[in-house]
Every structure is written in structure tokens, then in C-alpha cells.
Amino acid sequence: MNGRRTVAVVGAGISGLSVAYELLQRSADAGPELDLLCLEAGSRPGGNIRTERDSGFVCEWGPNGFLDNAPATLQLVDRLGLTDRIVRAEAAAEKRFIYRAGKLREVATNPLRFMTSGLLPLSGKLRLLGEPFAGGPSKDDESVFEFASRRIGPQAASVLVDAMVSGVYAGDSRSLSLGSTFPKMRAMEREHGSLLKALIARKRSARRSGTQSGGPAGPAGRLTSLQSGLEELTDALADALGDRLRRDVPVAGLSDMGSRGFRVHLDEGAPLEVDAVVLACPSRVATKIVAGMDEEMSTAMAEIPSAPLAVVHLGYTEGALGDMPTGFGFLVPRGQGPRILGTLWSSQIFRGRAPEGRMLLTTMIGGAHDPGAVELADEKLVATVRRELDDIMGVAVAPFFVRVFRHEVGIPQYSLGHADRLGRIDAALARHPGCQVSGNSYRGISVNACVEEAPSIADRVVEFLRSLPEN
């Protein structure tokens, strides 16, 4: 293939930056000259990954890290020369808590300790023991709550699973699709006929390989970040792109010109003509961009909802927090009283997140159950969090450090029918060869998921470019 080829990546969050970086690494395969542009609507790259460092505190706007059980992200960190910057969660942070019936209760990994804890009433524990004898799925696409209620009982589903869904998705377990949000759970049931049998098999396999298998206290892998916060990762990707990354360039629309490629319409200035395009922006943004090109694709994208979220960071002196437990933090199942979704004990998870003798607590509020919370004034949000931390942890003293971050778009919700929506989007993309989509709106919300899909997307773009006739 001879001649110049141009690719535009729309969006410079972790997905867009990763795809652009992978394309840059593959530029030799795309042809002698690959013009790559990564177009970011805002003034800074990184999307929801953003770290604020102030007064010795390290505060994350969005994700606090990534699990080290997925090699792709660790490999990317290494390729960017950041391996010596890696920090992993403290061992003590493996302890996790759930607030139920007015108390913080540890989610014990030991079965005997779990069964003797106060996480579930006796009837719920007995029902949990019957999990291996639960019936199989009644339909292809069931909600997370339906699945959990069927397998482990409604009480365990309302406490354990609802808390997990709040912590991961800030979502409603009764509306999220199991197959789209937690596909491994569905696979465990299909392969072993029981979650308990599957967990036993995974633990045996993990012991043989010397790895972690995960369990009721949390997923496999250890939470991992970088010394100055997760934004180091996106900053390094942006630096690698150099002047190929263009900030403050909102994209207004996209036109398919057939054999002549695509026309990218900008809010300001002349449109760009490119051979291929990757939409790595949230579906809520992408739906407007493709509306004039493909109405069916736009409609399917618009049907993917999101849960708005507010993040409240509070800094205290260690003595002000009394005899608080050591651990990762706690989650609050819906229906237990508090409005908050949960709190991370951030300075216990990673060293250096607070100055010596200080503690940083990071609380999430809002989500699918309480979308209006993100619209509250800062003072109202902080007052709500303080009141509930006092009720839950006995933290009556005022914090001396406060930061409030808001995500009006928030976390994508893979609600029932999500697989069908993805199928409609894929069918629409097939009508526009050279156009790809990427990002946490589609096939995984985690940092790992976004990084893992980037190489395959870059490969598809390169394959398409190689298929074009010579100029």
C-alpha cells in the first residue's frame, strides 16, 4: 500500500489514548505514511482518569487504579517506562466491609468466619448453603439480582450482590444484565452448575499456579496504581502521542464518503477527511456524532444509559478517626438507610495518598438509585457524607481537607438488552467499513477492559487500511 493514510481517534480518555498509542506502534504496518490524530473535546486528556494533588493528598476523580490480574495494562505500563512507578494496595487493604443493620461487618474470606458473621440473618445463611442445588437459568438475559436471588437467595442478593453492584457500577442490580456486566458469573454457572463448585475449582487452580482466585471479599488481583496517581498513565500516553493529540477540538458529526473515507465535522473550522475513524468517546457523545451518518447506530448508542456520580474526598488527622478498622473501605447495600454508596479508606489502600499523620476518606454518592445527588451543592454533599460517616464510623469531627468531584455522565450501565444493543451497533458499523467504536460504554467499564481492547481495535483499523486500493 502506497500513499498517505489518515486515522482520526475521537476522544482522549484511556480508551482513545490507548487505541491511538497502539496505532502509533503499528504505523509501519499501515503503510509508509500514517497520519494519526487524536481529537479531544476538552482541554486535558485522560477522561475520567484525573488525579488532583493538593496539600499532600492524592485525590482521584474517577478510577483509583486497576487490578493486576490482567496483563495488558501492566504491559502497557512497562512499554511506557512506568514500571518503577507502580504501587500496589497494602496487604491490610484486603479487608473489606459492608454496612448492614447499623454496623460495619467484615466480608470474611474464610467460610466458617463468613457463616458466623452478622452479614446475613440465619435464614439467609441457610439459603446460601443451598446454592449448589439451585435451579438453572430461566432465560438468556436475566438481571444481576435475578441471577443472584436464584442462586444464593434474595437476602444474600440484596446485601452482598447489591453492594458489589453499587461499588463497581454505582448501579441497580435489578436492571443490569448479568451477561453484560458479570459474564464470568454466568460462565461459572454454565461450566460448573454452581457458583460454590466453581469457586472451589478456581481456588484449586489458583493454588497450583500461585495466583489469586478472588472470592466473596472482592475480585481476583490486587489494586494497582502509580506513585503520583493513575493520571500518570494517561499523561504518559498523551506524551507519547505528542502533537498528534489535539485538545479543545470537539467533533460535531461524521459523514461516510464511501471509497473516499470519512469526513469529520468539527465544532469550529474546516472538516477533516480521513480514511478511518475510531469513536472512543462515551456513547452519549457518539450518538450525536453518528446521527447524520447512521440513525440506527445513533439510536442504539442513545439507549445505553449512565449513572451520574459525585466523589467526596475528606482529609482528617489520624487521631480524629478513633479506632476505625484497617482495610479497603465499606459498601452500603440499598435499603440500609445511608444515602452514600460506600467509602474507600484511600490512605490505607495506597501509601502516600495522605501526608504523614493524616487520613484520606473517599466517598461515592449518587448512582442509578440516586441520580439527583450529583446536582446537590457542594455544601449539601459534604454535609450528607459527614453525617453518614458519623453514623457509620463515628467520625464526628470536621475534616480539614475537602474536595468534591462530579461526573454528570458517570458510569455506563449495561442494562437488560445490552447485548442486543451491541449487536445493532456492530451491524451498523459493518455498513461503514473503516469506522470503529471503543470505550467503556460497550464491553467493559474498567481501565483493564479499555486497555485490553485497544490492540484488537488498532489491528482492525490497520487491516482495513491495508485493504484500501493504492492511491
Side-chain angles (χ1 to χ4, degrees):
M1 182 178 72
N2 297 318
R4 185 183 301 275
R5 299 300 185 189
T6 305
V7 180
V9 177
V10 180
I14 183 62
S15 292
L17 291 171
S18 297
V19 170
Y21 178 77
E22 296 294 345
L23 283 169
L24 188 61
Q25 305 304 301
R26 290 159 172 73
S27 58
D29 295 328
E33 294 185 82
L34 174 62
D35 287 345
L36 173 65
L37 295 174
C38 185
L39 308 175
E40 168 56 39
S43 60
R44 53 168 297 280
N48 287 335
I49 293 180
R50 182 173 179 179
T51 308
E52 181 173 304
R53 293 171 284 275
D54 188 8
S55 304
F57 290 95
V58 179
C59 303
E60 298 287 9
W61 284 62
N64 283 268
F66 57 90
L67 294 176
D68 65 0
N69 61 344
T73 307
L74 288 174
Q75 290 168 2
L76 177 61
V77 168
D78 186 61
R79 291 158 66 194
L80 292 167
L82 297 175
T83 297
D84 62 347
R85 303 285 297 169
I86 285 178
V87 292
R88 286 183 168 83
E90 296 292 302
E94 292 181 6
K95 289 185 178 181
R96 297 163 188 256
F97 297 81
I98 287 177
Y99 180 78
R100 193 193 82 81
K103 293 178 64 175
L104 284 180
R105 304 174 189 272
E106 184 180 350
V107 185
T109 56
N110 179 281
L112 181 60
R113 287 185 59 205
F114 180 84
M115 295 305 291
T116 56
S117 72
L119 266 175
L120 297 174
L122 178 60
S123 57
K125 295 173 185 176
L126 294 175
R127 174 61 181 84
L128 190 61
L129 290 174
E131 189 277 330
F133 309 102
S138 57
K139 51 187 175 181
D140 290 337
D141 192 17
E142 62 180 334
S143 74
V144 176
F145 183 83
E146 287 175 317
F147 170 83
S149 183
R150 175 170 58 79
R151 292 235 56 97
I152 61 177
Q155 290 176 319
S158 296
V159 174
L160 301 176
V161 175
D162 188 86
M164 177 180 65
V165 169
S166 290
V168 177
Y169 280 88
D172 180 357
S173 62
R174 289 168 172 78
S175 66
L176 294 183
S177 164
L178 175 78
S180 296
T181 53
F182 299 105
K184 290 182 180 179
M185 283 192 179
R186 185 170 68 173
M188 288 165 67
E189 180 186 47
R190 290 180 174 178
E191 293 171 13
H192 299 274
S194 160
L195 297 182
L196 180 60
K197 292 177 182 178
L199 286 173
I200 292 172
R202 289 174 62 181
K203 285 186 179 296
R204 287 173 178 169
S205 176
R207 279 198 299 268
R208 289 194 295 267
S209 61
T211 60
Q212 293 179 312
S213 64
R222 195 169 177 182
L223 190 65
T224 302
S225 186
L226 299 165
Q227 290 178 20
S228 295
L230 199 55
E231 192 174 13
E232 278 196 60
L233 175 58
T234 50
D235 282 349
L237 287 167
D239 290 343
L241 295 179
D243 59 7
R244 299 174 185 85
L245 171 62
R246 298 187 182 179
R247 298 167 171 83
D248 298 310
V249 184
V251 172
L254 186 65
S255 299
D256 187 342
M257 301 187 296
S259 61
R260 293 185 294 118
F262 297 87
R263 180 172 287 123
V264 181
H265 304 276
L266 309 178
D267 272 6
E268 296 181 4
L272 305 174
E273 295 191 356
V274 299
D275 295 294
V277 62
V278 179
L279 298 174
C281 45
S283 62
R284 183 172 170 177
V285 176
T287 183
K288 299 174 183 177
I289 292 175
V290 303
M293 181 180 77
D294 195 304
E295 184 178 354
E296 291 183 19
M297 188 192 308
S298 177
T299 298
M301 288 175 167
E303 292 173 3
I304 301 174
S306 63
L309 191 69
V311 181
V312 179
H313 292 275
L314 302 178
Y316 300 87
T317 60
E318 285 185 346
L321 298 182
D323 297 326
M324 68 171 284
T326 298
F328 193 88
F330 65 88
L331 294 171
V332 182
R334 297 303 84 193
Q336 293 299 315
R339 189 173 186 178
I340 63 175
L341 299 173
T343 296
L344 302 179
W345 301 329
S346 297
S347 51
Q348 291 191 1
I349 299 173
F350 293 118
R351 291 183 181 177
R353 289 303 190 253
E356 190 71 25
R358 303 288 191 264
M359 292 287 292
L360 180 66
L361 306 184
T362 303
T363 299
M364 283 66 65
I365 184 170
H369 285 287
D370 189 12
V374 76
E375 300 175 1
L376 297 175
D378 285 3
E379 296 79 7
K380 179 67 173 177
L381 280 172
V382 173
T384 300
V385 170
R386 284 191 56 198
R387 181 178 63 253
E388 297 190 351
L389 288 181
D390 188 14
D391 292 340
I392 295 170
M393 295 175 55
V395 183
V397 68
F400 69 88
F401 175 87
V402 176
R403 291 293 180 275
V404 178
F405 306 137
R406 302 168 188 275
H407 301 279
E408 294 182 0
V409 175
I411 302 175
Q413 303 292 292
Y414 299 169
S415 56
L416 291 167
H418 186 73
D420 174 69
R421 287 185 282 276
L422 291 185
R424 289 156 56 200
I425 292 171
D426 287 341
L429 289 171
R431 297 192 289 269
H432 306 281
C435 181
Q436 301 285 335
V437 298
S438 176
N440 67 355
S441 294
Y442 306 105
R443 291 180 168 85
I445 66 166
S446 68
V447 172
N448 281 340
C450 295
V451 171
E452 283 174 340
E453 74 171 359
S456 61
I457 291 174
D459 286 341
R460 290 199 294 270
V461 171
V462 169
E463 182 181 359
F464 170 76
L465 295 176
R466 291 173 64 86
S467 73
L468 296 177
E470 295 183 1
N471 292 335

